[in-house]
Every structure is written in structure tokens, then in C-alpha cells.
Amino acid sequence: MSHMRRAVTESVSGLPRAFWWLWTSTLVNRLGAFVATFMALYLTLDRGYSASYAGLVAALHGLGGVVSSLGAGVMTDRLGRRPTLLIAQASTAVSVAVLGFMEHPVAIAGVAFLVGMASNASRPAVQAMMADIVRPEDRVRAFSLNYWAINLGFAISSAGAGFIASYSYLAGFLIEGAMTMVCAIVVFVKLPESRPVRTALEKAAEPAVGLGTVLRDGRFMGVVGLSFLVALIFQQGSVGLPVAMGEAGFTPADYGVAIAVNGVMIVALQIPVTRFIEHRDPRRLLVISSLVAGYGFGLTAFAGSVGVFALTVCVWTLAEIVNAPTQTGLVVRLSPTHGRGRYQGMYTLSWSVAALVAPLMSGVMIDRFGAEWLWGSCAVIGTVAALGYWGLMRRLPEEDHLAEGRVVEERATEGRVVEERIAEGPVSEAPVAGVPVAEAPVEAVVLSGADPAAPRTDSVAAPRP
């Protein structure tokens, strides 16, 4: 017991206070994510619309996320992380509440599109802010803890959605709107702006980052393409698996039992697995996790009972636990500091597009060829992704991914502090005596409105995870 307590303490220690406020905002947001869970039931059972119309609304919701991914990335870099989060979360809160009152099918579809846009717009800002405020060597751990909060909140909200829906669907819309507004308030009150401020020398030395810059970054776009393939596999857990189990004669309750393993494993294993992988070579982790994901779903072709289905879920969930924080950390390392928003927006786009393509892929393959072909295709896609990561990562210098934390110390000894954590208060950057400023341009995380010359002060204590 003491060993477990020590492991948990080490997993959550050393991260800045601002991270925990951002983490709390994420958890509260996911705790209130009721609408995504019961939207199809609401439209078919409560409103009496067809399954085709419910699918159209879900597709429009996903399309909204695709549209907002790049726009939110640009906003994150231009307006800042904090304003983008405020706009996204406040817009989500209002649009979700309004959706509960819509009755005309066109109005429902239109507002669902807006909800998809607003809810997805916060992702680039969250990831960019997390990269700003957490030290490089702690980022995989931080992204893992954030992913854990997402799944913990979603597991609880999914369980509560059924009880709320049995009482009132409108109550679910209003509760989600209220909890999302709480997230916006947390951001406004507790999170300072973290966008790094570039010096005049840095602006002169480095060109501005636009969407064209991201598209011309071949190595990064390769990662985005591979991310799309991996996301296409994982999406089958929620779109292909229930359809395939239904056609095989299993009930929705059987699917619920099998897929519940995914949430339970993530909540139970995300933190200990992250402790095991956080200092290991991300190249191998991405290759192995892609193979395990693909062949984990491939094994579904041989499942004939709920227990075997649950076993296959165990396999690909392990891949998900490893892949999610590792891939997010890689995206941050490949992104220039002053272009993190746009790069994160492009990365978010890969998952949004996968969410649109995956239902079409599963539907066509199951209808025309059978579920076995879908699971075989997942194995093939996982193999292609693994080979892609292997080839792409061979061009990634070892020091780029293994010694990034040491770079901070090396640059500091050259005369300047490269990065300060928000947890330590307003950043004060001054050259070491005898070293001219022009010799060592820096990247600094500067709090909005903070006096660079002001002494450090501790911020208000954040809640513990």
C-alpha cells in the first residue's frame, strides 16, 4: 500500500500549479459530457427521428470539429491560449444549452454543428498551454495525467447520463452547459496567459509560422498522417465494434460490458504505465503501440463470446494508454514554440477527420464484406502505421527526443534561462553578468500583465488531483 502511495505521489509531484488548474478544468468538462453519450437516444427515442437522421446530426457534429481545428490553432497563437479557451468553453456552454431547446430538425442539425465547432476549439489551446507550462522532461507525464482525467470524467459522466436521461434529457443539456461554463470560469480566474513572448531578435531570426509553414513541414505532416491512421483504428471501438457485435447476435448490454473494460483499464493503468514509459525511447513506443492497436482489433475477428471481446479490448487499450501521451509529446517536440497552436490544430484535425471517416469505413466494410474484413484492415493499418513511424523516426536525431531536458540546463549555463515554470510565479529573465543579451536569444514563458522585473511570488494553491 505504501509502495502504491509513493508511486502516485511521484507521478503527480513536480508539476506546476497552473497545470493542475488546467487539469481540473479538463476533468470538470468531461464530468459534464452527457450530450455525446445520449444524443442518439435523445433524437430517436425522445424526438422520434430516424436512425439516419441521428447519424447525420452526429456527422455534422464531427464536421464542426474538423472546421474548428485549424481555426482554433491560429487563434491559440494569435490571441493566446487563455482567450481561446475562454471563447471555446463559453461558446460550448451556450450552444449545448440552446441545443436542448431546439425542436425543428434543421435547427437541431445546425446547432449540433456549432456545438462540434465550439467543443473541439479548446483542444489546441489546452495542449499548447500544457506544453508552455510543463518542463520538457515532464510533458509525457503531464499529457498522460490529462488523458487520464478525460477518461475518468467520461466514465463517470457516461454512467450518470443514463440516470439523467431517464429523468429529463433537457436536464442533461443544461447540466453540461453549466459545468462547461464552470470550466470557463476556472480558466478566467486561475489560469494566466502562457503564450511565450518572442524578443525582437527572435522575430528577426525566425520567420513567422503560418498554416503554410505547417503544411511544408514534411516530418510533422508525416506524424499527422500516421496519427490519422492510428486514430482510424481506435475509433472502431465506438463505431465498428458495436455494429459488429450486434450483427453477431450480441445485445447492447454485452457491448457495454466489453467496452467498459477500456475505461476501467485506462483509469487503473494510465498512471503506472506512464511511469514505466516516460523515459523510454518514443520511437519504439509508437511502433509497438501501433502494432498492438492494429492486431488487438484484428483479434476481434476470432471473438465469439463477450469474454473474448473484452480480452481484445484489453489488448488495444494497452496500446491506447502508451500511444496517446507519447504521440502528443512528439507533436510538441516537433512544433516551434511560437507556432504550437497551429501545429496542435493540425494534429487535432487528424483525429477529427478520423472520427468522420471511421463510421463510413466500418459501415461499408461490414455491409459489403463482413466484419472480419474490417478487423483484418485494422491489422493492416496498424502495420502500415508502425512501418511509417519506424521510417520517420529514423530521421529524428536521438538527442532531439532523449536529451531535450538537458538542453534547458545547457542553455542556462550559456547565460540565459530558457524556460521557467508558471508555478514559480512571474518569470524574471536577465542575462548572467558579463554575457550580452544579443548573444543568447531566449524563449520565455511570460505571464500576461506580469512585470518582468518583479520578484517571484507563489500563486494560489491549486487543488490536488
Side-chain angles (χ1 to χ4, degrees):
M1 193 68 179
S2 60
H3 177 73
M4 183 181 299
R5 191 183 304 113
R6 180 165 57 86
V8 172
T9 301
E10 291 176 357
S11 297
V12 302
S13 63
L15 295 171
R17 290 185 178 91
F19 166 80
W20 289 114
W21 284 117
L22 191 60
W23 184 92
T24 301
S25 174
T26 298
L27 179 61
V28 172
N29 185 285
R30 299 309 297 175
L31 284 172
F34 301 115
V35 173
T37 304
F38 62 63
M39 190 64 182
L41 295 176
Y42 165 71
L43 292 175
T44 54
L45 299 181
D46 189 67
R47 292 292 186 181
Y49 293 113
S50 66
S52 298
Y53 175 75
L56 173 63
V57 171
L60 287 173
H61 183 277
L63 181 61
V66 172
V67 171
S68 68
S69 296
L70 297 181
V74 174
M75 287 175 59
T76 298
D77 284 337
R78 289 189 176 180
L79 296 181
R81 286 60 159 140
R82 185 169 178 260
T84 303
L85 276 174
L86 283 171
I87 293 171
Q89 292 178 342
S91 300
T92 302
V94 173
S95 57
V96 165
V98 169
L99 181 59
F101 292 97
M102 294 296 101
E103 297 184 358
H104 193 279
V106 175
I108 292 174
V111 177
F113 174 79
L114 295 177
V115 171
M117 284 187 64
S119 60
N120 197 63
S122 62
R123 294 182 183 179
V126 169
Q127 302 291 355
M129 178 175 278
M130 207 167 290
D132 294 338
I133 64 182
V134 176
R135 293 182 304 179
E137 60 267 32
D138 292 332
R139 283 176 185 156
V140 170
R141 181 159 55 101
F143 289 132
S144 179
L145 287 168
N146 191 65
Y147 191 68
W148 182 80
I150 290 172
N151 283 277
L152 176 62
F154 184 74
I156 295 174
S157 67
S158 297
F163 294 102
I164 294 174
S166 63
Y167 171 73
S168 169
Y169 283 103
L170 178 59
F173 287 98
L174 296 179
I175 291 174
E176 177 166 345
M179 295 188 75
T180 306
M181 189 60 74
V182 169
C183 296
I185 294 172
V186 169
V187 169
F188 178 76
V189 175
K190 294 297 183 180
L191 286 176
E193 177 56 57
S194 68
R195 181 178 55 173
V197 176
R198 301 173 67 201
T199 65
L201 286 173
E202 288 173 325
K203 291 179 180 179
E206 300 179 26
V209 174
L211 289 178
T213 309
V214 183
L215 292 171
R216 290 191 297 270
D217 190 336
R219 185 170 63 177
F220 178 78
M221 290 306 298
V223 171
V224 170
L226 295 172
S227 169
F228 167 76
L229 294 179
V230 172
L232 202 58
I233 297 173
F234 286 129
Q235 289 289 335
Q236 299 307 328
S238 58
V239 296
L241 185 59
V243 174
M245 289 185 69
E247 289 205 344
F250 293 93
T251 67
D254 293 331
Y255 168 72
V257 171
I259 200 63
V261 174
N262 175 257
V264 171
M265 284 188 64
I266 290 175
V267 171
L269 298 180
Q270 185 72 63
I271 293 178
V273 170
T274 298
R275 282 174 52 80
F276 178 75
I277 68 171
E278 64 177 327
H279 298 303
R280 298 182 184 274
D281 188 347
R283 296 177 295 186
R284 293 180 181 177
L285 295 176
L286 289 171
V287 170
I288 293 172
S289 63
S290 298
L291 287 173
V292 174
Y295 286 92
F297 275 96
L299 289 173
T300 310
F302 303 99
S305 66
V306 175
V308 179
F309 276 112
L311 182 61
T312 64
V313 173
C314 288
V315 175
W316 57 259
T317 297
L318 284 174
E320 184 181 359
I321 290 172
V322 172
N323 183 273
T326 305
Q327 188 163 248
T328 307
L330 175 64
V331 169
V332 171
R333 283 193 292 271
L334 296 180
S335 308
T337 303
H338 56 284
R340 278 177 179 154
R342 289 174 172 84
Y343 274 72
Q344 289 291 345
M346 187 65 72
Y347 171 65
T348 301
L349 180 65
S350 68
W351 282 83
S352 299
V353 174
L356 278 180
V357 174
L360 300 176
M361 170 185 167
S362 61
V364 170
M365 296 200 75
I366 290 175
D367 286 343
R368 294 189 178 184
F369 307 106
E372 293 79 8
W373 280 82
L374 174 64
W375 308 130
S377 297
C378 288
V380 172
I381 294 172
T383 303
V384 171
L387 291 173
Y389 278 120
W390 178 76
L392 194 66
M393 293 299 151
R394 287 199 306 167
R395 294 185 291 152
L396 185 66
E398 186 173 350
E399 62 271 13
D400 190 22
H401 64 273
L402 294 180
E404 186 176 354
R406 293 196 297 270
V407 172
V408 174
E409 290 185 332
E410 292 170 2
R411 291 184 180 177
T413 59
E414 291 174 2
R416 295 296 300 268
V417 175
V418 175
E419 183 173 335
E420 296 258 358
R421 285 180 293 165
I422 287 181
E424 297 175 348
V427 174
S428 173
E429 290 199 341
V432 173
V435 181
V437 174
E439 291 182 7
V442 299
E443 166 195 329
V445 179
V446 180
L447 302 188
S448 177
D451 180 3
R456 296 178 182 174
T457 57
D458 290 334
S459 57
V460 179
R464 293 193 61 81

